[in-house]
């Protein structure tokens, strides 16, 4: 039996259980969500969870619990349990953090302007617990074009087979619908050809903010490349340059147009420097993926 068929059988079993219990065992979660006291939070949460949710911290990319979680289920606030996101809307953004195209419950998330790190970003917080969750960007895939980039430490994952038991049974029909193929029409849409370009030109956050706004750019991620340190990090990336990788639709924007913009958005004549950022990490580079 294929993985896909096993998944359908699994969902069917869960659906039957859901129908069997019916209204008598409906989830009663979230009638009232309250935030515990600070003292209670320090006891309940790990140091990382507390730092992220209460002090707007950020966990390390690729080194967190849910960035590569592919199981079906929902993600709830680690503090209050309010439903936030679904695995049905989760995608691999390449950033190393769990990313979603939209919230499961729009009313449970609040978006605020964040002016830290010398740029304007949109912070995402939970409504009832006021937990810091992450940020939302406009470089996500269809259908929303959004990327809700969240911290694993701010959430708790509840798998499909635990939804009923933990009071979230009302979300089971969503997974039944997905498993029975009611959204098969999406598979019939014309596939978009995707190509990749990677460039380095100063602070990768600033460069990404400009590049991802180009028409035809599908997604983007930042990281370190061009050096020899394996799994380079902010603390250890000697020899690497801060770079931006973008996925783009060549039918809407050409590689040549991307490079033209790249040379306009930064000064390639200042060796190992962009404005106040000095060092080899900020050198100007173009990294190729294909050889003609």
């Amino acid at each position: 039996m294929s993985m896909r068929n096993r998944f359908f059988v699994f969902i069917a079993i869960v659906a039957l259980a859901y129908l069997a219990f019916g209204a008598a065992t409906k989830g009663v979660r979230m009638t009232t969500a309250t935030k515990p006291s600070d003292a209670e939070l320090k006891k309940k949460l790990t140091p990382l969870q507390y730092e992220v949710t209460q002090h707007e911290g950020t966990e390390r990319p690729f080194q967190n619990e849910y960035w590569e979680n592919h199981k079906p289920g929902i993600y709830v606030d680690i503090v209050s349990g309010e439903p936030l996101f679904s695995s049905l809307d989760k995608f691999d953004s390449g950033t190393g953090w769990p990313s979603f195209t939209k919230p499961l419950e729009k009313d449970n998330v609040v978006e605020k302007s964040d002016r830290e790190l010398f740029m304007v970003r949109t912070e995402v917080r939970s409504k009832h617990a006021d937990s810091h969750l992450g940020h939302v960007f406009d470089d996500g895939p269809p259908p929303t074009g959004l990327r809700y980039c969240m911290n694993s430490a701010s959430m708790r994952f509840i798998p499909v087979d635990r939804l009923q038991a933990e009071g979230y049974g009302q979300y089971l029909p969503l997974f039944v619908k997905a498993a029975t193929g009611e959204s098969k029409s999406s598979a019939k849409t014309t596939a978009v050809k995707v190509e990749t370009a990677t460039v380095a030109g100063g602070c990768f956050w600033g460069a990404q903010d400009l590049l991802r706004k180009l028409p035809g750019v599908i997604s983007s991620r930042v990281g370190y490349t061009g050096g020899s340190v394996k799994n380079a990090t902010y603390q250890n990336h000697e020899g690497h340059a801060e770079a931006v990788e973008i996925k783009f639709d060549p039918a809407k924007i050409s590689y040549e147009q991307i490079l033209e913009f790249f040379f306009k958005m930064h000064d390639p004549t200042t060796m190992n420097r962009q404005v106040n950022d000095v060092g080899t990490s900020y050198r100007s580079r173009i990294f190729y993926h294909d050889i003609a």
Side-chain angles (χ1 to χ4, degrees):
M1 184 182 293
S2 68
M3 285 293 293
R4 180 181 177 84
N5 288 337
R6 284 200 295 268
F7 174 72
F8 285 175
V9 170
F10 169 74
I11 291 297
I13 292 172
V14 173
L16 289 173
Y18 171 73
L19 294 173
F21 282 106
T25 56
K26 272 189 178 179
V28 294
R29 173 76 63 170
M30 296 309 302
T31 53
T32 303
T34 58
K35 180 178 180 179
S37 67
D38 191 64
E40 291 175 308
L41 286 175
K42 288 182 177 179
K43 292 181 180 179
K44 175 182 179 180
L45 305 178
T46 67
L48 177 60
Q49 291 169 342
Y50 181 84
E51 178 63 22
V52 169
T53 59
Q54 307 305 305
H55 293 158
E56 294 74 51
T58 301
E59 64 195 1
R60 291 185 177 182
F62 305 104
Q63 299 180 41
N64 54 82
E65 191 171 2
Y66 302 131
W67 77 274
E68 204 174 19
N69 180 32
H70 302 295
K71 297 178 181 178
I74 69 171
Y75 297 79
V76 304
D77 186 293
I78 191 68
V79 173
S80 64
E82 54 197 290
L84 300 172
F85 299 95
S86 165
S87 63
L88 298 173
D89 306 307
K90 191 172 185 290
F91 70 100
D92 182 6
S93 64
T95 61
W97 289 286
S99 300
F100 307 85
T101 57
K102 64 179 181 180
L104 173 61
E105 294 288 356
K106 183 66 175 177
D107 290 342
N108 286 346
V109 300
V110 177
E111 297 178 7
K112 297 182 178 181
S113 179
D114 177 1
R115 297 182 178 274
E116 294 184 3
L117 300 180
F118 308 103
M119 65 179 73
V120 179
R121 298 183 296 170
T122 302
E123 181 193 10
V124 180
R125 304 185 72 90
S126 63
K127 180 178 180 179
H128 301 283
D130 193 34
S131 301
H132 170 74
L133 304 175
H135 292 83
V136 59
F137 303 94
D138 59 2
D139 60 358
T144 66
L146 299 175
R147 170 171 60 93
Y148 284 83
C149 191
M150 303 292 100
N151 288 279
S152 293
S154 66
M155 303 183 296
R156 183 170 72 89
F157 176 69
I158 303 175
V160 167
D161 60 348
R162 290 291 303 166
L163 291 178
Q164 192 70 43
E166 298 205 24
Y168 299 94
Q170 67 268 37
Y171 296 110
L172 272 172
L174 295 177
F175 296 91
V176 175
K177 180 179 178 181
T180 54
E182 291 187 24
S183 59
K184 284 182 180 179
S185 59
S186 61
K188 298 179 181 178
T189 57
T190 303
V192 176
K193 183 179 180 181
V194 179
E195 293 186 3
T196 305
T198 301
V199 294
C203 170
F204 49 28
W205 294 118
Q208 181 193 39
D209 189 53
L210 296 172
L211 288 165
R212 70 187 180 194
K213 294 177 181 177
L214 293 174
V217 171
I218 299 170
S219 65
S220 65
R221 63 172 178 168
V222 300
Y224 298 98
T225 190
S228 58
V229 177
K230 187 176 181 180
N231 299 321
T233 64
Y234 177 78
Q235 292 80 10
N236 181 24
H237 59 268
E238 184 178 358
H240 287 268
E242 291 199 0
V244 182
E245 177 192 88
I246 63 172
K247 302 288 186 180
F248 66 95
D249 180 356
K252 296 181 179 179
I253 187 171
S254 68
Y255 182 67
E256 289 76 12
Q257 288 174 311
I258 291 174
L259 292 187
E260 286 179 5
F261 181 79
F262 169 66
F263 284 112
K264 291 178 181 178
M265 77 179 200
H266 82 296
D267 184 358
T269 67
T270 54
M271 184 175 179
N272 297 333
R273 176 173 185 168
Q274 282 300 310
V275 194
N276 294 325
D277 294 324
V278 181
T280 57
S281 297
Y282 306 107
R283 62 187 185 272
S284 179
R285 287 289 187 275
I286 297 172
F287 299 92
Y288 62 84
H289 295 266
D290 302 304
I291 301 176

